[in-house]
Amino acid sequence: MDECPEIEPAIMNGSKTTIVPLRLIPPSECGMRSRFGDLLEIDYVAKKLGPPVRVYDASIWRGTGSQPFKFVLGSGVLVSGVDMGLYDMCPGEVRLLKIPPLLAIGLLDPPEKAPLEWSIELVSIDGVVKW
């Protein structure tokens, strides 16, 4: 049986997404940042952290083959904590998002409410891959 790692209280009981930058684009190389209403393309892996820890969604599973997942930021297609975590990103940046159950709400909810962890690369904004 998979052991559930101890979940930080801020993630379990929090009301905001914790953002861990994994790859940053220097401001001088970032000509465009994501805003609500932008058409984004992302590659991601989403995990549910409540026992057992498991991957519940990934862009590669969406039936688009090797193509990134496309959606409008802020449209409610993804859980609200992901929308918050993708705001103000540059194409090419990678973030790890730690999302409390309170923000795990959207059209593509995981089956049970639990803290989530999303690893996301922003591939493009409105078709612009990198400025």
Side-chain angles (χ1 to χ4, degrees), residues 84-130:
M84 292 175 187
L86 284 169
Y87 185 82
D88 204 34
M89 274 182 88
C90 291
E93 287 188 334
V94 178
R95 290 180 177 175
L96 179 69
L97 308 179
K98 297 180 179 187
I99 304 165
L102 181 65
L103 299 178
I105 299 165
L107 296 177
L108 302 179
D109 288 351
E112 310 86 29
K113 294 293 181 235
L116 307 177
E117 186 174 273
W118 282 55
S119 176
I120 300 180
E121 177 179 7
L122 179 55
V123 176
S124 74
I125 301 171
D126 293 329
V128 177
V129 176
K130 193 171 178 188

mmCIF file of all heavy atoms in Angstrom, residues 84-130:
data_model
loop_
_atom_site.group_PDB
_atom_site.id
_atom_site.type_symbol
_atom_site.label_atom_id
_atom_site.label_comp_id
_atom_site.label_asym_id
_atom_site.label_seq_id
_atom_site.Cartn_x
_atom_site.Cartn_y
_atom_site.Cartn_z
ATOM 1 N N MET A 84 -4.775 29.948 -10.747
ATOM 2 C CA MET A 84 -4.007 30.895 -9.937
ATOM 3 C C MET A 84 -2.507 30.690 -10.119
ATOM 4 O O MET A 84 -1.741 31.647 -10.215
ATOM 5 C CB MET A 84 -4.376 30.742 -8.463
ATOM 6 C CG MET A 84 -5.767 31.167 -8.136
ATOM 7 S SD MET A 84 -6.100 30.795 -6.406
ATOM 8 C CE MET A 84 -7.838 31.181 -6.330
ATOM 9 N N GLY A 85 -2.091 29.446 -10.173
ATOM 10 C CA GLY A 85 -0.672 29.122 -10.288
ATOM 11 C C GLY A 85 -0.074 29.394 -11.650
ATOM 12 O O GLY A 85 1.145 29.530 -11.788
ATOM 13 N N LEU A 86 -0.905 29.480 -12.684
ATOM 14 C CA LEU A 86 -0.419 29.751 -14.038
ATOM 15 C C LEU A 86 -0.386 31.239 -14.365
ATOM 16 O O LEU A 86 0.207 31.641 -15.366
ATOM 17 C CB LEU A 86 -1.306 29.044 -15.070
ATOM 18 C CG LEU A 86 -1.083 27.546 -15.205
ATOM 19 C CD1 LEU A 86 -2.191 26.931 -16.048
ATOM 20 C CD2 LEU A 86 0.266 27.263 -15.813
ATOM 21 N N TYR A 87 -1.009 32.052 -13.556
ATOM 22 C CA TYR A 87 -1.058 33.491 -13.809
ATOM 23 C C TYR A 87 0.347 34.085 -13.714
ATOM 24 O O TYR A 87 1.123 33.747 -12.832
ATOM 25 C CB TYR A 87 -1.990 34.168 -12.799
ATOM 26 C CG TYR A 87 -2.183 35.638 -13.061
ATOM 27 C CD1 TYR A 87 -3.093 36.069 -14.011
ATOM 28 C CD2 TYR A 87 -1.444 36.587 -12.386
ATOM 29 C CE1 TYR A 87 -3.273 37.426 -14.274
ATOM 30 C CE2 TYR A 87 -1.608 37.941 -12.636
ATOM 31 C CZ TYR A 87 -2.524 38.345 -13.585
ATOM 32 O OH TYR A 87 -2.688 39.682 -13.856
ATOM 33 N N ASP A 88 0.680 34.972 -14.632
ATOM 34 C CA ASP A 88 1.936 35.727 -14.635
ATOM 35 C C ASP A 88 3.160 34.849 -14.932
ATOM 36 O O ASP A 88 4.247 35.089 -14.428
ATOM 37 C CB ASP A 88 2.132 36.474 -13.306
ATOM 38 C CG ASP A 88 3.056 37.672 -13.450
ATOM 39 O OD1 ASP A 88 3.043 38.317 -14.519
ATOM 40 O OD2 ASP A 88 3.804 37.947 -12.495
ATOM 41 N N MET A 89 2.996 33.846 -15.785
ATOM 42 C CA MET A 89 4.104 32.986 -16.223
ATOM 43 C C MET A 89 4.573 33.389 -17.608
ATOM 44 O O MET A 89 3.808 33.932 -18.400
ATOM 45 C CB MET A 89 3.655 31.521 -16.303
ATOM 46 C CG MET A 89 3.754 30.746 -15.028
ATOM 47 S SD MET A 89 3.257 29.012 -15.253
ATOM 48 C CE MET A 89 4.808 28.259 -15.746
ATOM 49 N N CYS A 90 5.837 33.076 -17.910
ATOM 50 C CA CYS A 90 6.405 33.263 -19.249
ATOM 51 C C CYS A 90 6.445 31.918 -19.961
ATOM 52 O O CYS A 90 6.658 30.888 -19.312
ATOM 53 C CB CYS A 90 7.835 33.766 -19.155
ATOM 54 S SG CYS A 90 7.956 35.432 -18.546
ATOM 55 N N PRO A 91 6.251 31.903 -21.284
ATOM 56 C CA PRO A 91 6.425 30.642 -22.020
ATOM 57 C C PRO A 91 7.814 30.073 -21.741
ATOM 58 O O PRO A 91 8.809 30.796 -21.711
ATOM 59 C CB PRO A 91 6.281 31.061 -23.488
ATOM 60 C CG PRO A 91 5.437 32.290 -23.446
ATOM 61 C CD PRO A 91 5.865 33.003 -22.175
ATOM 62 N N GLY A 92 7.854 28.768 -21.481
ATOM 63 C CA GLY A 92 9.113 28.091 -21.172
ATOM 64 C C GLY A 92 9.340 27.898 -19.684
ATOM 65 O O GLY A 92 10.167 27.089 -19.284
ATOM 66 N N GLU A 93 8.590 28.616 -18.851
ATOM 67 C CA GLU A 93 8.751 28.437 -17.409
ATOM 68 C C GLU A 93 8.064 27.152 -16.948
ATOM 69 O O GLU A 93 7.105 26.689 -17.549
ATOM 70 C CB GLU A 93 8.186 29.629 -16.640
ATOM 71 C CG GLU A 93 9.058 30.861 -16.765
ATOM 72 C CD GLU A 93 8.643 31.997 -15.859
ATOM 73 O OE1 GLU A 93 7.458 32.093 -15.470
ATOM 74 O OE2 GLU A 93 9.529 32.809 -15.556
ATOM 75 N N VAL A 94 8.597 26.604 -15.848
ATOM 76 C CA VAL A 94 8.046 25.386 -15.245
ATOM 77 C C VAL A 94 7.803 25.684 -13.770
ATOM 78 O O VAL A 94 8.658 26.270 -13.102
ATOM 79 C CB VAL A 94 9.016 24.193 -15.389
ATOM 80 C CG1 VAL A 94 8.449 22.956 -14.714
ATOM 81 C CG2 VAL A 94 9.315 23.911 -16.858
ATOM 82 N N ARG A 95 6.626 25.283 -13.294
ATOM 83 C CA ARG A 95 6.273 25.469 -11.886
ATOM 84 C C ARG A 95 5.703 24.178 -11.312
ATOM 85 O O ARG A 95 5.061 23.407 -12.014
ATOM 86 C CB ARG A 95 5.198 26.551 -11.729
ATOM 87 C CG ARG A 95 5.690 27.946 -12.018
ATOM 88 C CD ARG A 95 4.584 28.963 -11.848
ATOM 89 N NE ARG A 95 5.092 30.318 -12.051
ATOM 90 C CZ ARG A 95 4.339 31.394 -12.064
ATOM 91 N NH1 ARG A 95 3.028 31.284 -11.861
ATOM 92 N NH2 ARG A 95 4.881 32.577 -12.259
ATOM 93 N N LEU A 96 5.932 24.006 -10.019
ATOM 94 C CA LEU A 96 5.272 22.973 -9.247
ATOM 95 C C LEU A 96 4.225 23.695 -8.412
ATOM 96 O O LEU A 96 4.554 24.648 -7.690
ATOM 97 C CB LEU A 96 6.268 22.247 -8.345
ATOM 98 C CG LEU A 96 5.677 21.151 -7.471
ATOM 99 C CD1 LEU A 96 5.225 19.983 -8.340
ATOM 100 C CD2 LEU A 96 6.700 20.687 -6.449
ATOM 101 N N LEU A 97 2.972 23.301 -8.551
ATOM 102 C CA LEU A 97 1.876 23.929 -7.825
ATOM 103 C C LEU A 97 1.378 22.978 -6.750
ATOM 104 O O LEU A 97 1.074 21.822 -7.036
ATOM 105 C CB LEU A 97 0.722 24.272 -8.775
ATOM 106 C CG LEU A 97 1.069 25.075 -10.018
ATOM 107 C CD1 LEU A 97 -0.178 25.298 -10.861
ATOM 108 C CD2 LEU A 97 1.726 26.393 -9.653
ATOM 109 N N LYS A 98 1.274 23.470 -5.533
ATOM 110 C CA LYS A 98 0.719 22.703 -4.415
ATOM 111 C C LYS A 98 -0.613 23.346 -4.080
ATOM 112 O O LYS A 98 -0.667 24.506 -3.672
ATOM 113 C CB LYS A 98 1.675 22.718 -3.234
ATOM 114 C CG LYS A 98 2.994 22.039 -3.562
ATOM 115 C CD LYS A 98 3.930 22.062 -2.389
ATOM 116 C CE LYS A 98 5.231 21.355 -2.735
ATOM 117 N NZ LYS A 98 6.093 21.225 -1.557
ATOM 118 N N ILE A 99 -1.681 22.584 -4.284
ATOM 119 C CA ILE A 99 -3.034 23.134 -4.263
ATOM 120 C C ILE A 99 -3.838 22.521 -3.117
ATOM 121 O O ILE A 99 -3.995 21.295 -3.055
ATOM 122 C CB ILE A 99 -3.735 22.855 -5.610
ATOM 123 C CG1 ILE A 99 -2.883 23.437 -6.744
ATOM 124 C CG2 ILE A 99 -5.145 23.397 -5.619
ATOM 125 C CD1 ILE A 99 -3.257 22.938 -8.111
ATOM 126 N N PRO A 100 -4.370 23.357 -2.209
ATOM 127 C CA PRO A 100 -5.181 22.824 -1.114
ATOM 128 C C PRO A 100 -6.543 22.339 -1.631
ATOM 129 O O PRO A 100 -7.003 22.765 -2.691
ATOM 130 C CB PRO A 100 -5.342 24.015 -0.171
ATOM 131 C CG PRO A 100 -5.192 25.210 -1.041
ATOM 132 C CD PRO A 100 -4.244 24.818 -2.142
ATOM 133 N N PRO A 101 -7.192 21.451 -0.882
ATOM 134 C CA PRO A 101 -8.501 20.925 -1.313
ATOM 135 C C PRO A 101 -9.518 22.019 -1.633
ATOM 136 O O PRO A 101 -10.314 21.882 -2.548
ATOM 137 C CB PRO A 101 -8.968 20.088 -0.127
ATOM 138 C CG PRO A 101 -7.721 19.695 0.582
ATOM 139 C CD PRO A 101 -6.764 20.841 0.383
ATOM 140 N N LEU A 102 -9.478 23.127 -0.905
ATOM 141 C CA LEU A 102 -10.413 24.232 -1.126
ATOM 142 C C LEU A 102 -10.341 24.761 -2.555
ATOM 143 O O LEU A 102 -11.335 25.225 -3.104
ATOM 144 C CB LEU A 102 -10.112 25.359 -0.129
ATOM 145 C CG LEU A 102 -10.996 26.597 -0.186
ATOM 146 C CD1 LEU A 102 -12.435 26.232 0.196
ATOM 147 C CD2 LEU A 102 -10.466 27.667 0.742
ATOM 148 N N LEU A 103 -9.154 24.688 -3.184
ATOM 149 C CA LEU A 103 -8.965 25.210 -4.543
ATOM 150 C C LEU A 103 -8.924 24.101 -5.595
ATOM 151 O O LEU A 103 -8.594 24.352 -6.744
ATOM 152 C CB LEU A 103 -7.691 26.045 -4.614
ATOM 153 C CG LEU A 103 -7.669 27.262 -3.702
ATOM 154 C CD1 LEU A 103 -6.341 27.983 -3.813
ATOM 155 C CD2 LEU A 103 -8.825 28.195 -4.013
ATOM 156 N N ALA A 104 -9.269 22.891 -5.193
ATOM 157 C CA ALA A 104 -9.298 21.762 -6.129
ATOM 158 C C ALA A 104 -10.697 21.632 -6.727
ATOM 159 O O ALA A 104 -11.304 20.573 -6.722
ATOM 160 C CB ALA A 104 -8.875 20.471 -5.418
ATOM 161 N N ILE A 105 -11.198 22.752 -7.260
ATOM 162 C CA ILE A 105 -12.558 22.805 -7.782
ATOM 163 C C ILE A 105 -12.514 23.286 -9.222
ATOM 164 O O ILE A 105 -11.900 24.297 -9.527
ATOM 165 C CB ILE A 105 -13.421 23.776 -6.949
ATOM 166 C CG1 ILE A 105 -13.482 23.300 -5.492
ATOM 167 C CG2 ILE A 105 -14.812 23.914 -7.533
ATOM 168 C CD1 ILE A 105 -13.991 24.339 -4.538
ATOM 169 N N GLY A 106 -13.161 22.551 -10.128
ATOM 170 C CA GLY A 106 -13.208 22.921 -11.540
ATOM 171 C C GLY A 106 -13.923 21.837 -12.320
ATOM 172 O O GLY A 106 -14.406 20.861 -11.746
ATOM 173 N N LEU A 107 -13.983 21.991 -13.617
ATOM 174 C CA LEU A 107 -14.672 20.995 -14.446
ATOM 175 C C LEU A 107 -13.970 19.652 -14.442
ATOM 176 O O LEU A 107 -14.595 18.622 -14.606
ATOM 177 C CB LEU A 107 -14.786 21.506 -15.888
ATOM 178 C CG LEU A 107 -15.633 22.759 -16.080
ATOM 179 C CD1 LEU A 107 -15.601 23.184 -17.542
ATOM 180 C CD2 LEU A 107 -17.065 22.521 -15.627
ATOM 181 N N LEU A 108 -12.643 19.658 -14.283
ATOM 182 C CA LEU A 108 -11.870 18.418 -14.306
ATOM 183 C C LEU A 108 -11.386 18.063 -12.909
ATOM 184 O O LEU A 108 -10.223 17.780 -12.684
ATOM 185 C CB LEU A 108 -10.684 18.552 -15.274
ATOM 186 C CG LEU A 108 -11.051 18.896 -16.709
ATOM 187 C CD1 LEU A 108 -9.796 19.033 -17.558
ATOM 188 C CD2 LEU A 108 -11.960 17.847 -17.305
ATOM 189 N N ASP A 109 -12.301 18.080 -11.935
ATOM 190 C CA ASP A 109 -11.942 17.761 -10.554
ATOM 191 C C ASP A 109 -11.394 16.350 -10.443
ATOM 192 O O ASP A 109 -11.826 15.450 -11.163
ATOM 193 C CB ASP A 109 -13.184 17.815 -9.650
ATOM 194 C CG ASP A 109 -13.682 19.216 -9.396
ATOM 195 O OD1 ASP A 109 -12.984 20.167 -9.772
ATOM 196 O OD2 ASP A 109 -14.772 19.342 -8.827
ATOM 197 N N PRO A 110 -10.477 16.140 -9.481
ATOM 198 C CA PRO A 110 -10.109 14.763 -9.160
ATOM 199 C C PRO A 110 -11.302 14.089 -8.496
ATOM 200 O O PRO A 110 -12.201 14.780 -7.999
ATOM 201 C CB PRO A 110 -8.947 14.926 -8.182
ATOM 202 C CG PRO A 110 -9.136 16.277 -7.592
ATOM 203 C CD PRO A 110 -9.792 17.116 -8.667
ATOM 204 N N PRO A 111 -11.351 12.768 -8.476
ATOM 205 C CA PRO A 111 -12.508 12.065 -7.916
ATOM 206 C C PRO A 111 -12.806 12.389 -6.456
ATOM 207 O O PRO A 111 -13.939 12.468 -6.067
ATOM 208 C CB PRO A 111 -12.144 10.589 -8.069
ATOM 209 C CG PRO A 111 -11.038 10.549 -9.049
ATOM 210 C CD PRO A 111 -10.361 11.884 -9.026
ATOM 211 N N GLU A 112 -11.786 12.552 -5.634
ATOM 212 C CA GLU A 112 -12.005 12.877 -4.224
ATOM 213 C C GLU A 112 -11.297 14.182 -3.934
ATOM 214 O O GLU A 112 -10.259 14.472 -4.498
ATOM 215 C CB GLU A 112 -11.405 11.801 -3.300
ATOM 216 C CG GLU A 112 -11.780 10.379 -3.629
ATOM 217 C CD GLU A 112 -10.867 9.754 -4.682
ATOM 218 O OE1 GLU A 112 -9.689 10.133 -4.770
ATOM 219 O OE2 GLU A 112 -11.357 8.895 -5.407
ATOM 220 N N LYS A 113 -11.847 14.962 -3.016
ATOM 221 C CA LYS A 113 -11.190 16.213 -2.627
ATOM 222 C C LYS A 113 -9.960 15.876 -1.786
ATOM 223 O O LYS A 113 -10.058 15.175 -0.788
ATOM 224 C CB LYS A 113 -12.135 17.110 -1.834
ATOM 225 C CG LYS A 113 -13.292 17.594 -2.669
ATOM 226 C CD LYS A 113 -12.807 18.538 -3.757
ATOM 227 C CE LYS A 113 -13.940 19.045 -4.588
ATOM 228 N NZ LYS A 113 -13.798 18.810 -5.988
ATOM 229 N N ALA A 114 -8.825 16.365 -2.218
ATOM 230 C CA ALA A 114 -7.555 16.137 -1.528
ATOM 231 C C ALA A 114 -6.585 17.193 -2.012
ATOM 232 O O ALA A 114 -6.801 17.810 -3.047
ATOM 233 C CB ALA A 114 -7.028 14.735 -1.850
ATOM 234 N N PRO A 115 -5.495 17.412 -1.291
ATOM 235 C CA PRO A 115 -4.481 18.318 -1.809
ATOM 236 C C PRO A 115 -3.942 17.762 -3.128
ATOM 237 O O PRO A 115 -3.855 16.555 -3.321
ATOM 238 C CB PRO A 115 -3.389 18.314 -0.736
ATOM 239 C CG PRO A 115 -4.010 17.712 0.462
ATOM 240 C CD PRO A 115 -5.124 16.848 -0.005
ATOM 241 N N LEU A 116 -3.584 18.671 -4.021
ATOM 242 C CA LEU A 116 -3.085 18.281 -5.331
ATOM 243 C C LEU A 116 -1.686 18.845 -5.534
ATOM 244 O O LEU A 116 -1.317 19.850 -4.922
ATOM 245 C CB LEU A 116 -3.993 18.826 -6.437
ATOM 246 C CG LEU A 116 -5.474 18.514 -6.350
ATOM 247 C CD1 LEU A 116 -6.214 19.199 -7.501
ATOM 248 C CD2 LEU A 116 -5.715 17.024 -6.353
ATOM 249 N N GLU A 117 -0.945 18.206 -6.428
ATOM 250 C CA GLU A 117 0.353 18.713 -6.837
ATOM 251 C C GLU A 117 0.417 18.628 -8.359
ATOM 252 O O GLU A 117 0.242 17.551 -8.924
ATOM 253 C CB GLU A 117 1.461 17.877 -6.203
ATOM 254 C CG GLU A 117 2.844 18.405 -6.456
ATOM 255 C CD GLU A 117 3.877 17.618 -5.694
ATOM 256 O OE1 GLU A 117 4.141 17.953 -4.520
ATOM 257 O OE2 GLU A 117 4.401 16.648 -6.268
ATOM 258 N N TRP A 118 0.606 19.757 -9.007
ATOM 259 C CA TRP A 118 0.694 19.826 -10.468
ATOM 260 C C TRP A 118 2.081 20.293 -10.861
ATOM 261 O O TRP A 118 2.560 21.311 -10.364
ATOM 262 C CB TRP A 118 -0.324 20.824 -11.022
ATOM 263 C CG TRP A 118 -1.727 20.330 -11.089
ATOM 264 C CD1 TRP A 118 -2.478 19.825 -10.077
ATOM 265 C CD2 TRP A 118 -2.562 20.328 -12.241
ATOM 266 N NE1 TRP A 118 -3.721 19.516 -10.521
ATOM 267 C CE2 TRP A 118 -3.810 19.810 -11.852
ATOM 268 C CE3 TRP A 118 -2.378 20.734 -13.556
ATOM 269 C CZ2 TRP A 118 -4.859 19.672 -12.736
ATOM 270 C CZ3 TRP A 118 -3.431 20.599 -14.432
ATOM 271 C CH2 TRP A 118 -4.654 20.066 -14.034
ATOM 272 N N SER A 119 2.722 19.573 -11.755
ATOM 273 C CA SER A 119 3.967 19.996 -12.374
ATOM 274 C C SER A 119 3.595 20.485 -13.772
ATOM 275 O O SER A 119 3.041 19.721 -14.570
ATOM 276 C CB SER A 119 4.941 18.827 -12.455
ATOM 277 O OG SER A 119 6.104 19.208 -13.139
ATOM 278 N N ILE A 120 3.864 21.769 -14.062
ATOM 279 C CA ILE A 120 3.368 22.390 -15.294
ATOM 280 C C ILE A 120 4.463 23.160 -16.013
ATOM 281 O O ILE A 120 5.189 23.936 -15.391
ATOM 282 C CB ILE A 120 2.214 23.377 -14.997
ATOM 283 C CG1 ILE A 120 1.053 22.670 -14.330
ATOM 284 C CG2 ILE A 120 1.771 24.088 -16.263
ATOM 285 C CD1 ILE A 120 -0.115 23.568 -14.019
ATOM 286 N N GLU A 121 4.535 22.952 -17.334
ATOM 287 C CA GLU A 121 5.353 23.797 -18.191
ATOM 288 C C GLU A 121 4.420 24.610 -19.068
ATOM 289 O O GLU A 121 3.531 24.053 -19.716
ATOM 290 C CB GLU A 121 6.279 22.982 -19.085
ATOM 291 C CG GLU A 121 7.077 23.869 -20.033
ATOM 292 C CD GLU A 121 8.030 23.124 -20.936
ATOM 293 O OE1 GLU A 121 8.005 21.881 -20.936
ATOM 294 O OE2 GLU A 121 8.787 23.786 -21.662
ATOM 295 N N LEU A 122 4.608 25.929 -19.084
ATOM 296 C CA LEU A 122 3.838 26.794 -19.978
ATOM 297 C C LEU A 122 4.539 26.776 -21.331
ATOM 298 O O LEU A 122 5.646 27.282 -21.476
ATOM 299 C CB LEU A 122 3.740 28.219 -19.435
ATOM 300 C CG LEU A 122 2.981 29.215 -20.314
ATOM 301 C CD1 LEU A 122 1.582 28.736 -20.637
ATOM 302 C CD2 LEU A 122 2.946 30.575 -19.649
ATOM 303 N N VAL A 123 3.898 26.169 -22.319
ATOM 304 C CA VAL A 123 4.487 26.007 -23.643
ATOM 305 C C VAL A 123 4.294 27.279 -24.461
ATOM 306 O O VAL A 123 5.233 27.759 -25.118
ATOM 307 C CB VAL A 123 3.877 24.787 -24.369
ATOM 308 C CG1 VAL A 123 4.419 24.671 -25.793
ATOM 309 C CG2 VAL A 123 4.153 23.521 -23.570
ATOM 310 N N SER A 124 3.053 27.827 -24.473
ATOM 311 C CA SER A 124 2.817 29.042 -25.248
ATOM 312 C C SER A 124 1.643 29.837 -24.688
ATOM 313 O O SER A 124 0.806 29.309 -23.966
ATOM 314 C CB SER A 124 2.548 28.712 -26.723
ATOM 315 O OG SER A 124 1.251 28.164 -26.881
ATOM 316 N N ILE A 125 1.632 31.132 -25.046
ATOM 317 C CA ILE A 125 0.532 32.041 -24.739
ATOM 318 C C ILE A 125 0.030 32.572 -26.084
ATOM 319 O O ILE A 125 0.797 33.168 -26.834
ATOM 320 C CB ILE A 125 0.986 33.236 -23.878
ATOM 321 C CG1 ILE A 125 1.593 32.741 -22.568
ATOM 322 C CG2 ILE A 125 -0.176 34.191 -23.613
ATOM 323 C CD1 ILE A 125 2.266 33.844 -21.744
ATOM 324 N N ASP A 126 -1.244 32.342 -26.374
ATOM 325 C CA ASP A 126 -1.846 32.802 -27.624
ATOM 326 C C ASP A 126 -0.969 32.459 -28.840
ATOM 327 O O ASP A 126 -0.811 33.270 -29.747
ATOM 328 C CB ASP A 126 -2.127 34.312 -27.578
ATOM 329 C CG ASP A 126 -3.215 34.651 -26.565
ATOM 330 O OD1 ASP A 126 -4.121 33.812 -26.347
ATOM 331 O OD2 ASP A 126 -3.166 35.733 -25.979
ATOM 332 N N GLY A 127 -0.369 31.265 -28.811
ATOM 333 C CA GLY A 127 0.441 30.798 -29.940
ATOM 334 C C GLY A 127 1.883 31.253 -29.921
ATOM 335 O O GLY A 127 2.684 30.807 -30.737
ATOM 336 N N VAL A 128 2.269 32.141 -28.984
ATOM 337 C CA VAL A 128 3.655 32.593 -28.897
ATOM 338 C C VAL A 128 4.412 31.628 -27.987
ATOM 339 O O VAL A 128 4.106 31.519 -26.801
ATOM 340 C CB VAL A 128 3.754 34.031 -28.340
ATOM 341 C CG1 VAL A 128 5.209 34.459 -28.185
ATOM 342 C CG2 VAL A 128 3.009 34.993 -29.259
ATOM 343 N N VAL A 129 5.379 30.910 -28.583
ATOM 344 C CA VAL A 129 6.110 29.896 -27.826
ATOM 345 C C VAL A 129 7.130 30.547 -26.902
ATOM 346 O O VAL A 129 7.181 30.252 -25.721
ATOM 347 C CB VAL A 129 6.793 28.891 -28.775
ATOM 348 C CG1 VAL A 129 7.626 27.903 -27.997
ATOM 349 C CG2 VAL A 129 5.736 28.163 -29.602
ATOM 350 N N LYS A 130 7.987 31.390 -27.420
ATOM 351 C CA LYS A 130 8.947 32.112 -26.590
ATOM 352 C C LYS A 130 9.243 33.421 -27.284
ATOM 353 O O LYS A 130 9.413 33.466 -28.493
ATOM 354 C CB LYS A 130 10.220 31.304 -26.376
ATOM 355 C CG LYS A 130 11.088 31.867 -25.293
ATOM 356 C CD LYS A 130 12.219 30.945 -24.938
ATOM 357 C CE LYS A 130 13.075 31.600 -23.871
ATOM 358 N NZ LYS A 130 14.279 30.854 -23.616
#
